[in-house]
Amino acid sequence: MMRVDKLKLIYVDPPKTGSQSIDTLFEHYYGGTHIKFTRRTDKHSKKIPSDCEDYNIAATVRNPYTRAYSLYNMDVNKNISHFGVSLDSFKNYISDVIDLCKQKPNSNNLRVYRYYNLTNYLREFNLKVLIKMEDIHIHLKEMKVYNIHANAGTYPTDKSWHNVQTPELIDLINTWAAPDFENYGYIKL
């Protein structure tokens, strides 16, 4: 989470939604700072500082298919497996994520809620600004954020969702992220 006092904005950054690009932009151009509730930066914290309650809240969202595959690739690359989520295949990974989210639908533990679909992840925030990663430049201009050079949307081609999609994986992601398609205007395959 980042506070941007110049814009009176709190930026909530769900994992794998282009948040590093947005963080860099807000930090570089607007003096944004990561919020710290403990000794470390709480990048994916869900707690709004009490002195920012009158700030607008913004968040990024991302196509559920590419977000799910990006979460998987990040966990495989870092060899991160929380609560027994399998890393041996994307199919097993997303199946385990669905099961974990059903078992722990209201967790405040980052190691759980990082796996939530975006609707669940963002449910407690009164969002005023929603930035779709695929349209990042358009949304930032609507916020009057100019001179932007965000790199969101550029991915290694070997890590592309389109290279691995199957009807079974599509069905699994449609199950996991069902509300995201409706709430954020993404189209189911």
Side-chain angles (χ1 to χ4, degrees), residues 31-50:
T33 57
H34 284 102
I35 295 170
K36 293 183 180 186
F37 292 106
T38 61
R39 287 183 297 131
R40 65 178 188 84
T41 298
D42 294 312
K43 179 172 170 48
H44 298 296
S45 174
K46 295 173 75 176
K47 182 180 172 186
I48 304 289
S50 59

Side-chain angles (χ1 to χ4, degrees), residues 5-188:
D5 293 324
K6 285 183 183 177
L7 299 174
K8 290 197 72 151
L9 183 79
I10 293 292
Y11 171 61
V12 178
D13 46 0
K16 307 315 289 178
T17 61
S19 61
Q20 287 183 324
S21 294
I22 298 291
D23 286 350
T24 300
L25 177 126
F26 284 142
E27 188 174 23
H28 181 75
Y29 290 105
Y30 295 94
T33 57
H34 284 102
I35 295 170
K36 293 183 180 186
F37 292 106
T38 61
R39 287 183 297 131
R40 65 178 188 84
T41 298
D42 294 312
K43 179 172 170 48
H44 298 296
S45 174
K46 295 173 75 176
K47 182 180 172 186
I48 304 289
S50 59
D51 65 331
C52 296
E53 290 175 359
D54 63 333
Y55 281 33
N56 286 323
I57 301 174
T60 44
V61 295
R62 182 179 182 181
N63 180 294
Y65 302 110
T66 57
R67 179 172 179 256
Y69 194 55
S70 185
L71 274 169
Y72 169 69
N73 280 313
M74 179 182 69
D75 286 356
V76 166
N77 289 338
K78 293 182 176 183
N79 197 28
I80 297 171
S81 176
H82 300 298
F83 300 97
V85 172
S86 175
L87 301 178
D88 66 345
S89 73
F90 183 45
K91 177 186 166 211
N92 290 341
Y93 177 88
I94 199 67
S95 295
D96 288 350
V97 164
I98 291 168
D99 291 343
L100 176 63
C101 292
K102 285 179 184 174
Q103 293 167 15
K104 298 178 182 286
N106 298 304
S107 179
N108 287 321
N109 181 335
L110 170 61
R111 290 186 171 145
V112 175
Y113 69 73
R114 67 187 294 278
Y115 294 115
Y116 287 169
N117 62 49
L118 292 171
T119 299
N120 194 9
Y121 188 98
L122 296 169
R123 73 181 180 274
E124 61 203 66
F125 297 107
N126 182 18
L127 296 175
K128 298 292 184 195
V129 180
L130 190 67
I131 303 166
K132 280 181 125 174
M133 192 189 84
E134 297 80 9
D135 300 324
I136 194 169
H137 295 286
I138 295 167
H139 294 291
L140 290 173
K141 284 181 183 175
E142 288 170 358
M143 294 169 52
K144 298 184 176 29
V145 174
Y146 302 104
N147 298 321
I148 54 177
H149 303 287
N151 293 322
T154 57
Y155 312 102
T157 55
D158 63 330
K159 302 286 185 184
S160 170
W161 154 252
H162 298 290
N163 291 339
V164 299
Q165 69 181 352
T166 65
E168 186 176 23
L169 287 172
I170 290 168
D171 287 344
L172 286 168
I173 294 170
N174 288 348
T175 297
W176 170 67
D180 293 355
F181 292 100
E182 183 177 333
N183 292 334
Y184 306 122
Y186 290 105
I187 297 172
K188 287 184 178 182

